[in-house]
Amino acid sequence: MRTQARIMMVLAFSAISAAAAAADIWYEDNNLGRPGGMPPDFAEKFQHPETFNHASRYIHVYMVRANVLDVMDDRFLAGAFYPYLNRNRIKLAIDATGATWTQTSGRKKIASGEIRLLERLKRLGIQVDYISLQSVLSQPLVLGGTTVDYPLSKRIEDVVAYAKAARAVYPQAQIGIIDALPSYNQDYRQPYLMLKDALAQEGIPLSYIHLDMPFDIPREQRHGVTWQQARAVESYVEDELGLRFGLLATSRKGGEISGKAIHERTLAAQECYMGAGGTPGDFIVASWFPYPRTTIPETAAGDDYPAMRTVLEFGRQLDHIEKAGAQATNQAAWRAKCTTQ
């Protein structure tokens, strides 16, 4: 039994090592817990790129919320922001909400506004590589304080309509979703398959699914969710649907406590998921909480934890796992960090 257990641990770490070589890091700035929010030094880091020079080398995709991009002026977007991404071969993703509940009152203007944003970006010569549709299948609709049913059929209709409009502007943009159904232990297999098939009927591939499952959920087994169940989502998305899978590495608890807390839990999310055998195509480092409050510098020390310090250590941790190769992991240490059992 001891020999078998050790073999299983070695195999698990072999999978971790393989994942490190393949996983891409996506990054999205914190909105500080409010719609349209952005860190006060967002623009500064592009004006002084030396403040995150090493961290940016780990960023494969820079994701920006549509409502944040919308308020940026053309001069900054075309003169500082996008040239930096382009020079450093960092792709651009849009975090879009316009495909969520589009058939309810007032929501169509959000969708049309985001399509106008895409048209504006194209006029500026900015390439959009990915469009991530935020919570289109999982976000509850609340009207007047009451949760209202918004059927899956309508959700899929909204995604298809939005994707068609977006691809009319950027035909090569990959369409994906950010989803939290598994975080509530709800069925995700049928919705994912139905969405993929509906888009395929319009000639639009669904390219990826990013799982919105903050660190605290599987660690505390909320709704009965475990790290192994998160891994099962990856298996279904990749093996059954043939899509790319990603995991959001974040923590609501950490983001509400301090910069240090979300920093540590973001790194732990990577360790815990990969320690459970996860091999994601993407890790998405993001926050929508009060912390982290700033993004730079990456060289911060002590109790200062700007986002780029986290990105830098997150990337180095992936490198370390890759270089470590196959070796037995300490299961007791993993359980202590990754579970409350």
Side-chain angles (χ1 to χ4, degrees):
M1 291 299 291
R2 288 182 181 179
T3 300
Q4 184 178 7
R6 185 172 181 81
I7 290 173
M8 291 301 293
M9 289 189 289
V10 170
L11 292 175
F13 230 83
S14 297
I16 291 172
S17 189
D24 288 348
I25 294 176
W26 289 42
Y27 169 76
E28 181 177 61
D29 286 295
N30 188 14
N31 70 355
L32 306 177
R34 59 178 185 269
M38 69 176 76
D41 58 359
F42 171 83
E44 181 184 350
K45 71 174 172 290
F46 294 100
Q47 295 158 354
H48 298 282
E50 70 278 3
T51 60
F52 75 124
N53 182 52
H54 292 91
S56 69
R57 295 175 188 174
Y58 286 108
I59 300 174
H60 293 81
V61 180
Y62 202 113
M63 184 160 64
V64 187
R65 295 174 177 87
N67 58 1
V68 170
L69 272 178
D70 206 29
V71 300
M72 296 180 189
D73 61 54
D74 291 356
R75 184 176 179 180
F76 172 75
L77 287 173
F81 173 70
Y82 186 68
Y84 181 83
L85 300 186
N86 198 35
R87 282 195 309 273
N88 291 277
R89 299 181 180 179
I90 299 173
K91 295 182 178 181
L92 176 62
I94 308 298
D95 184 346
T97 63
T100 308
W101 319 313
T102 310
Q103 298 176 60
T104 59
S105 177
R107 292 293 301 184
K108 286 185 179 180
K109 66 180 181 181
I110 296 176
S112 59
E114 289 182 355
I115 299 304
R116 287 195 299 272
L117 169 64
L118 294 178
E119 293 169 343
R120 175 185 164 216
L121 295 175
K122 190 167 187 177
R123 287 196 301 270
L124 293 173
I126 295 173
Q127 176 61 37
V128 174
D129 300 288
Y130 303 92
I131 300 174
S132 292
L133 305 182
Q134 178 67 247
S135 305
V136 286
L137 299 180
S138 55
Q139 183 70 25
L141 175 60
V142 180
L143 299 176
T146 302
T147 300
V148 178
D149 178 54
Y150 196 81
L152 178 62
S153 59
K154 282 190 173 183
R155 291 177 183 269
I156 292 176
E157 289 172 359
D158 294 344
V159 172
V160 171
Y162 189 99
K164 289 171 66 175
R167 294 264 293 194
V169 182
Y170 284 104
Q172 302 306 314
Q174 294 187 43
I175 305 294
I177 66 169
I178 301 171
D179 184 71
L181 286 173
S183 296
Y184 297 95
N185 215 351
Q186 297 179 11
D187 176 52
Y188 56 86
R189 293 172 178 82
Q190 183 182 23
Y192 291 177
L193 178 60
M194 290 175 63
L195 179 59
K196 178 189 176 184
D197 289 347
L199 285 169
Q201 288 179 5
E202 299 295 333
I204 301 173
L206 179 63
S207 297
Y208 58 91
I209 294 176
H210 286 166
L211 177 58
D212 179 3
M213 184 180 285
F215 169 74
D216 319 287
I217 292 176
R219 181 175 185 270
E220 299 172 5
Q221 296 190 12
R222 295 183 194 172
H223 314 291
V225 174
T226 65
W227 292 107
Q228 289 71 29
Q229 285 174 289
R231 178 64 184 87
V233 180
E234 176 188 328
S235 179
Y236 179 73
V237 169
E238 293 182 342
D239 300 338
E240 300 297 325
L241 299 183
L243 309 179
R244 191 173 180 91
F245 173 84
L247 178 72
L248 271 71
T250 191
S251 166
R252 175 175 293 278
K253 274 191 174 181
E256 292 174 347
I257 295 172
S258 68
K260 179 180 180 180
I262 191 168
H263 170 88
E264 292 177 343
R265 291 172 185 232
T266 295
L267 296 179
Q270 178 198 119
E271 288 184 88
C272 294
Y273 185 64
M274 297 176 78
T279 58
D282 306 313
F283 274 117
I284 304 88
V285 177
S287 177
W288 49 97
F289 317 115
Y291 297 95
R293 293 179 174 173
T294 58
T295 66
I296 53 175
E298 64 184 15
T299 55
D303 290 331
D304 185 14
Y305 287 89
M308 287 301 149
R309 178 179 178 180
T310 301
V311 170
L312 181 58
E313 293 193 31
F314 195 94
R316 286 174 173 171
Q317 184 169 272
L318 275 175
D319 280 350
H320 174 74
I321 293 173
E322 178 185 3
K323 292 174 182 177
Q327 55 182 292
T329 186
N330 186 322
Q331 292 297 299
W334 183 89
R335 285 194 299 271
K337 176 176 287 188
C338 305
T339 74
T340 55
Q341 303 303 307

